[in-house]
Amino acid sequence: METEQNQKPRVVIIGAGFGGLEAAKKLACQENVQLTVVDRTNYHLFQPLLYQVATAALSPADIAAPVRGILSKCKNVDVMLAEVESIDVSARKVNLTDGEIDYDYLVVATGARHSYFSHPEWERVAPGLKSLEDAVEIRRRILMAFEYAERTPDEAARKAAMTFVIVGGGPTGVEMAGAIAEIARYTLAKDFRQIDPSQARIILVEGESKVLASYPEDLRDSAMKQLADLGVEVRTGIHATNLSEQGLQVGDEFIPCRVKIWAAGNTASFVGKSLGVPVDRVGRVLVKNDLTIPNHPEVQVIGDLANFSHQTGEPLPGVSPVAMQQGRHAARNILMMIDGEKPQRFWYFDKGSMATIGRNKAVADLKLVHLKGIPAWLAWLFVHVIFLVGFRNRLAVLFQWGWAYFSFNKGARLITRNFQSEQRPPA
C-alpha cells in the first residue's frame, strides 16, 4: 500500500486558509493524488468573523474548525502541523523548522499579516486582527479598559481608558468600530456602577477622504452616516502617528487612549520571498496568469500571497472569495498537469463585497444592486453563515446572533490571561 501511494504525484498545500482549504477539498479523495496539507495551526479560521471574537460576540471555537476533521473522510490526505521556513523550488522541497517535505506539485497559500509601515514597534501597542490570538488579545484589552475605568479615581485616566481608536477605515476597521460602539452602548451599559460605558469614545482614523475606499461612492457615504448614528467619530484624510502606551497622534491632536487597534495595511507572508521570484512592495508574489510562478509551473501561489493583476491591471483584493476561487482553480490546474495538459488561465468572477457596521447596519455592493441598512445586513448574515465551515459552527453562530439580537447581550465577555508569563501565587 505504501509503495503504491509513493508512486502517486505528491501534492503539498501550505496553508489551510480559504484558498488552501478549497484546493485541498477539490484534491481530496482523488485516486491519482497523494495530498499533504501543512499549516502552523490545526484549524481553519473563518477570518471575516474575527472581529466578533474580538468584541465578545462569538467564542473562538465558533469560527474555527479542525483541518483534520474537515478532510478526515479522504484516505489520500495527510495533514501536518508544522512551521514552514522556506521553499527550495529547484530541489522541490518545503523546508520546515523540524524537517522537510518533497513535492511534485505545490500550492502556496500562507496569506498575509498586518503591516505597520516601517514601525514594527507599534504592533505591541496596537495589535492587528489576523489570528485567533489577535482577537482574544484585543478582546482582553477592550474589556480590561472598562474594568480599569471602573476602578481608577483619576478622571483623565478614566477618559483615556474609555477611548478606543481604530486605525484604518477598510472593512475590518469599520466593522471593529461599529462592534465596539455596540458593546459599549448596549451590552456593557448596565454592567458597571462607577462608569457609564455608553459614554465611551470610539474614533476611526482613515487616510482617505471616506471609509471603505474600494466601495462605490453611495455606499461609502452610507457607511459614514451609519457609523455616525452609532456615535463613532470618523476622522478622514488624516494619518495616525507616534503610537505609544499613552495614546497616539492624529494630525495635530494627541489622543490619550489605552486601546488602539490596527487595521491599516497588510504585508505578505515571508514564505513568498523564499521562492526566488519577483515580489511587489508588500511581498506578494507576481504570479503568471495561470497562478504559477516563472519557470516552475508545478508551483502555484494563491490568496493574499499572490499579486494577480492580469485581469484588471491592478492586484485582486485580499478577500476570501478571491482566495477560494484561486484555490479551486489551482486544484484543477494540478489535475490537468497530472494528465499531461498545460495549466489554464485564471479568471476571477467578482460577486461583490459587503461590510457590516452594527445591528441592522451594513453596506453591500452586489454589482447589479447596492444595499444599505437592514437589507445589506440580512444579506451579510446569510452569506457569512453559508460559508462557515461545519454544521455545528453555523448552528452556534446563528444561535449566538439570535440571542444577541433580541437580548442585546454578548455572552463571550471573557478576560483571558497568559499565566505562563506571570508570577503565580503559591497554591
Side-chain angles (χ1 to χ4, degrees):
M1 178 67 72
E2 186 176 344
T3 304
E4 183 181 329
Q5 286 188 344
N6 290 339
Q7 292 175 348
K8 297 178 182 178
R10 179 86 175 264
V11 179
V12 174
I13 297 174
I14 307 175
F18 286 105
L21 186 63
E22 285 299 308
K25 288 195 291 187
K26 195 162 185 67
L27 292 170
C29 296
Q30 294 285 342
E31 294 182 356
N32 59 340
V33 169
Q34 180 59 31
L35 177 63
T36 300
V37 179
V38 183
D39 198 285
R40 63 195 300 181
T41 69
N42 75 329
Y43 53 83
H44 166 74
L45 177 64
F46 194 78
Q47 279 195 343
L49 293 181
L50 264 180
Y51 83 95
Q52 295 217 353
V53 174
T55 53
L58 297 174
S59 295
D62 294 337
I63 65 167
V67 178
R68 292 184 184 277
I70 297 170
L71 302 173
S72 62
K73 294 180 180 179
C74 298
K75 301 301 182 183
N76 71 322
V77 181
D78 181 26
V79 177
M80 186 177 295
L81 182 66
E83 188 87 28
V84 174
E85 282 192 337
S86 63
I87 299 167
D88 185 345
V89 293
S90 59
R92 296 196 179 188
K93 290 183 182 294
V94 177
N95 297 313
L96 310 174
T97 55
D98 56 354
E100 60 183 30
I101 313 172
D102 296 319
Y103 66 84
D104 295 301
Y105 299 95
L106 178 66
V107 178
V108 188
T110 49
R113 284 289 289 171
H114 26 267
S115 168
Y116 290 85
F117 308 116
S118 302
H119 288 280
E121 69 277 9
W122 289 353
E123 183 169 13
R124 184 175 58 83
V125 296
L129 190 58
K130 287 290 185 183
S131 67
L132 277 181
E133 292 81 4
D134 294 334
V136 172
E137 173 60 16
I138 290 173
R139 181 182 69 184
R140 185 189 70 82
R141 294 189 184 198
I142 292 171
L143 296 176
M144 281 297 293
F146 287 105
E147 296 290 345
Y148 176 82
E150 174 83 349
R151 293 183 58 193
T152 183
D154 187 301
E155 182 63 25
R158 182 182 297 116
K159 287 183 178 179
M162 293 178 63
T163 299
F164 303 86
V165 180
I166 300 94
V167 182
T172 299
V174 166
E175 290 170 347
M176 277 299 304
I180 295 174
E182 285 205 327
I183 195 175
R185 305 286 188 268
Y186 304 113
T187 307
L188 301 179
K190 298 179 180 179
D191 286 3
F192 294 87
R193 299 295 175 263
Q194 308 304 319
I195 60 171
D196 180 3
S198 67
Q199 297 303 307
R201 287 181 73 196
I202 294 88
I203 302 171
L204 179 62
V205 180
E206 167 56 38
E208 298 288 336
S209 60
K210 294 178 183 176
V211 299
L212 300 177
S214 62
Y215 282 60
E217 188 71 17
D218 61 322
L219 295 184
R220 298 175 71 187
D221 290 336
S222 176
M224 295 275 285
K225 182 180 182 304
Q226 292 181 67
L227 285 166
D229 291 343
L230 279 172
V232 177
E233 302 175 31
V234 182
R235 311 281 183 91
T236 57
I238 202 166
H239 295 279
T241 58
N242 300 329
L243 278 73
S244 67
E245 295 283 0
Q246 290 71 38
L248 74 168
Q249 193 80 24
V250 178
D252 297 329
E253 179 188 4
F254 182 80
I255 302 176
C257 65
R258 284 175 63 94
V259 178
K260 298 157 285 289
I261 299 168
W262 190 264
N266 294 319
T267 186
S269 163
F270 69 92
V271 175
K273 296 177 182 177
S274 72
L275 293 170
V277 296
V279 298
D280 64 13
R281 61 182 180 83
V282 297
R284 291 175 297 189
V285 176
L286 301 176
V287 296
K288 297 169 67 176
N289 64 13
D290 55 6
L291 302 178
T292 65
I293 64 174
N295 303 318
H296 290 279
E298 75 279 2
V299 178
Q300 297 177 88
V301 181
I302 63 174
D304 291 356
L305 187 60
N307 179 324
F308 183 92
S309 54
H310 303 279
Q311 192 166 330
T312 63
E314 295 290 332
L316 291 176
V319 294
S320 56
V322 171
M324 293 169 74
Q325 290 185 37
Q326 289 182 338
R328 291 190 288 268
H329 185 85
R332 286 193 293 268
N333 272 348
I334 288 171
L335 295 174
M336 292 179 68
M337 287 188 281
I338 290 174
D339 291 337
E341 302 178 42
K342 292 183 178 180
Q344 296 297 302
R345 179 187 176 113
F346 171 72
W347 290 96
Y348 173 56
F349 178 57
D350 188 357
K351 300 176 183 177
S353 52
M354 52 184 65
T356 184
I357 298 164
R359 178 190 178 92
N360 297 335
K361 292 178 171 60
V363 292
D365 175 15
L366 305 182
K367 298 305 177 182
L368 296 178
V369 62
H370 294 171
L371 302 178
K372 309 166 189 175
I374 294 179
W377 184 72
L378 291 173
W380 181 92
L381 290 179
F382 175 78
V383 167
H384 283 71
V385 168
I386 287 295
F387 283 105
L388 265 172
V389 174
F391 177 75
R392 178 253 172 216
N393 284 4
R394 294 191 190 105
L395 197 63
V397 168
L398 271 175
F399 175 79
Q400 295 287 356
W401 281 349
W403 176 260
Y405 186 84
F406 291 107
S407 69
F408 291 92
N409 185 26
K410 297 183 179 182
R413 303 195 302 277
L414 308 179
I415 298 175
T416 57
R417 297 162 62 184
N418 182 4
F419 284 106
Q420 290 183 340
S421 64
E422 299 178 7
Q423 183 67 38
R424 293 192 182 188

